[in-house]
Amino acid sequence: MATITVYGTPVSTYVRTVRLLLEEASAEYDLKSVGIFNGENDSSEYRAKNPFGKVPTLEVDGELLYETAAITDYLDTVVASNKFSPSNPLSKARMRQIMAIVDSYFYSSAITTIVIQRLIVPNQGGKTDEDAVKNAIAPAKTAAEAIESLTVGSPYLLGSELSIADFYLIPIFIYLSQTPEFDAITAQTPKLRTWWDQVNKLKSVNQVCA
Ligand SMILES: N[C@@H](CCC(=O)N[C@@H](CS)C(=O)NCC(=O)O)C(=O)O
């Protein structure tokens, strides 16, 4: 079996996405710490692995792979026999659509703005930019409602089986649900609320996101 190393910090949502898949597949792996709040991700040593200075990066038997969509696709094939990608073409397209919505719209509004401003900035002695938070609510709500319209929502986003889409959205909800904006953003997403109540209790979620 290949030796799998994940570079990144356990608090990163995208690192959590990769680790959720690995835990659900019961795969062995090492996590090598690369901090994102102390500049480690910006070091020349790390940029040699990932030129964008983002986490995670995966190393498998000396091969480096970055970008979470590529990493999860690869790992799903090699450690999970494609268990986390639906075989039905439309369901698979829905999974990719949800992943792209997280990448392109949800992460920036929910994490880069709301979560950072509400949970990280005050924790580091700064003052929340209330205008930035207020302006991020509408795009976050649009993203949540778009996913709501694509999801089955019970028990998992695409139905009876966990997929990579769940691994993308769970880490976003973990943090967003700790902010006062969560209720407004999910006010019109009852299926996502039900989904969240269920996936929140998964053992892998407790292991990776605690
Ligand atoms: N497109 C990248 C995004 C990864 C990403 O944004 N990671 C964040 C942590 S969740 C990061 O490395 N942030 C550090 C920074 O931007 O300096 C992927 O899919 O892996």
Side-chain angles (χ1 to χ4, degrees):
M1 186 63 215
T3 305
I4 297 172
T5 304
V6 178
Y7 292 91
T9 166
V11 300
S12 149
T13 60
Y14 283 109
V15 170
R16 288 178 171 189
T17 295
V18 169
R19 293 185 67 207
L20 284 169
L21 188 154
L22 287 164
E23 294 289 342
E24 283 292 337
S26 302
E28 298 269 322
Y29 65 98
D30 289 329
L31 179 67
K32 285 213 173 130
S33 179
V34 177
I36 55 173
F37 296 119
N38 59 6
E40 275 175 3
N41 60 316
D42 244 341
S43 66
S44 49
E45 189 195 345
Y46 184 66
R47 280 194 183 259
K49 298 188 196 319
N50 182 328
F52 300 100
K54 302 281 184 190
V55 295
T57 296
L58 189 79
E59 187 169 358
V60 181
D61 289 343
E63 285 289 333
L64 291 165
L65 189 57
Y66 57 82
E67 289 303 311
T68 302
I71 294 171
T72 49
D73 183 54
Y74 172 79
L75 287 176
D76 188 31
T77 307
V78 299
V79 303
S81 308
N82 296 308
K83 186 175 161 191
F84 303 119
S85 302
S87 51
N88 172 285
L90 185 59
S91 298
K92 191 169 185 170
R94 293 289 183 223
M95 178 185 84
R96 292 199 187 285
Q97 211 179 347
I98 292 169
M99 292 161 65
I101 290 169
V102 170
D103 277 340
S104 304
Y105 312 109
F106 214 5
Y107 182 86
S108 55
S109 53
I111 302 297
T112 310
T113 305
I114 298 172
V115 166
I116 297 284
Q117 286 299 326
R118 281 278 179 244
L119 307 182
I120 310 290
V121 168
N123 200 33
Q124 294 179 339
K127 197 171 172 313
T128 297
D129 182 339
E130 293 293 344
D131 284 345
V133 171
K134 214 157 100 191
N135 291 335
I137 294 174
K141 202 165 152 40
T142 301
E145 288 170 13
I147 296 173
E148 173 82 4
S149 74
L150 303 174
T151 188
V152 174
S154 184
Y156 306 121
L157 289 179
L158 298 174
S160 58
E161 304 296 332
L162 268 170
S163 77
I164 299 168
D166 296 281
F167 303 144
Y168 261 66
L169 196 58
I170 288 167
I172 304 287
F173 266 54
I174 289 275
Y175 287 121
L176 196 57
S177 64
Q178 296 172 46
T179 73
E181 284 68 33
F182 183 71
D183 283 346
I185 291 165
T186 58
Q188 307 296 327
T189 65
K191 287 188 283 181
L192 287 187
R193 290 271 200 161
T194 304
W195 165 83
W196 177 234
D197 285 343
Q198 287 166 333
V199 295
N200 206 0
K201 298 185 184 87
L202 289 173
K203 191 170 159 219
S204 60
V205 173
N206 281 312
Q207 280 164 335
V208 168
C209 305

